[in-house]
């Protein structure tokens, strides 16, 4: 069993500047935060129709929350800083969704719109208030694509993790759309099935499945090969608003306004456990005011042993897979979204007032048992595990029936 985790510590809090042309009191929510797959960049939809791109790790002045001062770094570090400077993308509309993807290295003779020949690059997709999706090249800030098709807010975006440049978008127009950026941003499929706004979409790390969450009591699971509906995941008592797959694709978690996270086996549709967000009566909240625990966001840690959740009761919670109660808490105000740093150790959260916060997260050395399970489950479905000629208890461990 894991030891209780240390409480998350707030490392830094970044606040948006005050633009002259936008009303400070409206549309300033941080609806989405994202780290690039290699961990080199952080993107922040800070409201006011702009996205801030920040090189990671944060510079010392930011971590110390002090005014910026001249760097005394070496020449090599200075050159690195010259390449990776903070950038602001002017999107022209309120930004709701963000997703990074690597772009394949361009070769001689390619008419690639994104990259210089021989240099890998990074792209960022932004989902906008008017239904557009704008795709940017991070280093230059150039706009590569404007994808048109959605009729309402693009609430969430998810790139296929295999580098195929397949992008899935979730919208308030009640549809999901699949785009292929390797074919000039062509729309390849429209997924119909939701009857309410679609809040969230997540592609499994093995790129075989897609989960989508809308203002409904069930989440939908789709095939990424045929773009057909696999099953409805029914079990929540209120709107499902967030979902995420484990790093080995063997688990799926969904978070709902019913204050519960349900952990599923996506292959069988079985509910493995429910994590209930019980009100915490402690020194974290001295107010006598009653707060609901409606969930806003859930995400897996990179090694797959922890979950983070943000709820309306002003708490960031950290959960260990094998326990039904949180192992750590941190007080935060008006949280809307959360995401782990790809290499672990940090969590970024976005707030309703346009801020982004960086928290320490438990670092864990995965057991050999878990590493073996993770390696096996990366390419074996639940049904394939159950067909193996191995002891029942081992099957239960490999399918997360026992932890």
């Amino acid at each position: 069993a894991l030891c209780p985790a240390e409480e998350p510590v707030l490392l830094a809090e970044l606040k948006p500047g005050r633009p002259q042309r936008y009303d400070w009191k409206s549309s300033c929510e941080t609806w989405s935060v994202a780290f690039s797959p290699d961990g080199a960049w952080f993107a922040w939809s800070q409201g006011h129709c702009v996205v801030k791109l920040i090189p990671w790790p944060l510079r010392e002045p930011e971590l110390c929350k002090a005014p910026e001062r001249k760097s005394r770094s070496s020449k090599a570090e200075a050159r690195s800083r010259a390449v990776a400077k903070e950038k602001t993308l002017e999107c022209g509309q309120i930004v709701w969704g963000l997703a990074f993807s690597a772009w394949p290295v361009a070769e001689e003779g390619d008419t690639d719109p994104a990259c210089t020949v021989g240099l890998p690059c990074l792209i960022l997709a932004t989902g906008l208030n008017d239904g557009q999706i704008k795709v940017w090249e991070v280093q230059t800030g150039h706009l590569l694509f404007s994808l048109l098709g959605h009729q309402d807010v693009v609430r969430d975006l998810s790139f296929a993790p295999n580098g195929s440049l397949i992008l899935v978008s979730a919208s308030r127009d009640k549809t999901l759309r699949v785009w292929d950026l390797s074919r000039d941003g062509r729309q390849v499929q429209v997924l119909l099935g939701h009857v309410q706004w679609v809040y969230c979409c997540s592609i499994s790390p093995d790129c075989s499945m897609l989960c989508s969450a809308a203002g409904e009591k069930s989440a939908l699971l789709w095939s990424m090969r045929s773009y057909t509906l696999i099953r409805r995941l029914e079990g929540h008592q209120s709107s499902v608003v967030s979902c995420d797959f484990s790093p080995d694709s063997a688990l799926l978690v969904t978070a709902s306004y019913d204050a519960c996270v349900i952990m599923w086996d996506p292959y069988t549709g079985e509910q493995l456990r429910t994590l209930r967000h019980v009100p915490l009566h402690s020194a974290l909240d001295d107010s006598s005011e009653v707060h609901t625990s409606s969930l806003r966001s859930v995400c897996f840690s990179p090694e797959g042993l922890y979950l983070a959740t943000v709820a309306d009761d002003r708490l960031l919670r950290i959960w260990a897979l094998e326990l039904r109660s949180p192992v750590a808490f941190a007080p935060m105000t008006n949280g809307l979204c959360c995401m782990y740093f790809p290499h672990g150790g940090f969590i970024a959260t976005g707030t309703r007032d346009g801020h982004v916060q960086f928290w320490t997260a438990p670092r864990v050395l995965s057991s050999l048992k878990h590493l073996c399970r993770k390696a096996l489950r990366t390419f074996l479905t639940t049904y394939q595990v159950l067909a193996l000629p191995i002891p029942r208890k081992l099957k239960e461990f490999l399918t997360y029936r026992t932890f």
Side-chain angles (χ1 to χ4, degrees), residues 236 253-255 259-263 273-275 277 295 298 307 309:
H236 284 290
V253 287
T254 54
C260 290
V261 168
I262 296 180
M263 193 180 301
R273 65 179 45 198
T274 299
L275 307 178
H277 286 62
L295 281 160
V298 61
L307 294 171
T309 58

Side-chain angles (χ1 to χ4, degrees), residues 152-401:
D152 208 334
V153 172
V154 177
R155 185 64 184 82
D156 197 22
L157 296 162
S158 182
F159 273 106
N162 60 3
S164 64
L165 298 178
I166 294 294
L167 173 67
V168 175
S169 54
S171 171
R172 282 187 180 177
D173 67 11
K174 306 174 187 177
T175 71
L176 297 125
R177 293 172 190 257
V178 183
W179 314 83
D180 188 347
L181 301 193
S182 69
R183 298 163 66 190
D184 296 322
R186 183 178 303 177
Q187 181 177 286
V188 296
Q189 196 73 33
V190 179
L191 304 183
L192 304 172
H194 287 292
V195 296
Q196 299 292 338
W197 293 351
V198 190
Y199 290 119
C200 182
C201 59
S202 178
I203 300 175
S204 62
D206 67 2
C207 298
S208 68
M209 296 172 285
L210 165 72
C211 183
S212 58
E216 304 157 13
K217 296 179 182 179
S218 58
L220 300 188
L221 194 66
W222 309 82
S223 167
M224 281 298 289
R225 297 186 176 98
S226 62
Y227 299 122
T228 55
L229 183 65
I230 298 172
R231 64 171 53 88
R232 289 182 178 270
L233 300 172
E234 298 179 338
H236 284 290
Q237 303 305 309
S238 188
S239 299
V240 184
V241 294
S242 182
C243 56
D244 195 25
F245 284 93
S246 62
D248 59 4
S249 305
L251 296 173
L252 170 68
V253 287
T254 54
S256 167
Y257 287 160
D258 65 8
C260 290
V261 168
I262 296 180
M263 193 180 301
W264 310 82
D265 184 321
Y267 296 101
T268 66
E270 180 181 350
Q271 294 184 37
L272 301 180
R273 65 179 45 198
T274 299
L275 307 178
R276 302 184 188 281
H277 286 62
V278 178
L280 180 68
H281 301 289
S282 74
L284 289 178
D285 185 3
D286 296 326
S287 171
S288 60
E289 185 181 352
V290 176
H291 295 277
T292 62
S293 296
S294 294
L295 281 160
R296 293 289 171 180
S297 185
V298 61
C299 61
F300 265 100
S301 63
E303 82 291 325
L305 287 172
Y306 288 100
L307 294 171
T309 58
V310 169
D312 283 348
D313 62 357
R314 303 191 297 188
L315 289 173
L316 166 67
R317 289 173 170 86
I318 309 294
W319 308 75
L321 278 198
E322 75 272 29
L323 301 176
R324 295 180 184 271
S325 298
V327 296
F329 301 87
M332 63 175 299
T333 304
N334 297 327
L336 289 176
C337 57
C338 59
M339 175 172 275
Y340 269 91
F341 180 61
H343 307 309
F346 304 98
I347 297 171
T349 58
T351 69
R352 192 172 290 279
D353 55 8
H355 298 194
V356 64
Q357 299 169 324
F358 299 99
W359 306 84
T360 58
R363 288 188 180 273
V364 60
L365 185 62
S366 298
S367 68
L368 184 58
K369 283 196 314 181
H370 177 66
L371 290 173
C372 291
R373 174 174 60 185
K374 186 177 173 183
L376 284 169
R377 291 311 310 273
T378 298
F379 64 89
L380 290 179
T381 69
T382 299
Y383 296 114
Q384 289 170 325
V385 170
L386 295 176
L388 293 174
I390 56 177
R392 178 178 57 85
K393 287 189 176 181
L394 189 51
K395 290 181 182 181
E396 290 175 350
F397 175 76
L398 290 175
T399 58
Y400 290 90
R401 269 62 181 175

Side-chain angles (χ1 to χ4, degrees), residues 70-81:
K70 292 182 180 180
S71 171
R72 298 177 181 177
S73 59
S74 66
K75 290 182 179 180
E77 289 172 333
R79 283 195 297 270
S80 175
R81 285 291 179 198

Side-chain angles (χ1 to χ4, degrees), residues 35-42 55-57 341-343:
F35 286 103
S36 62
D38 62 1
W41 288 90
F42 175 76
W56 189 270
F341 180 61
H343 307 309

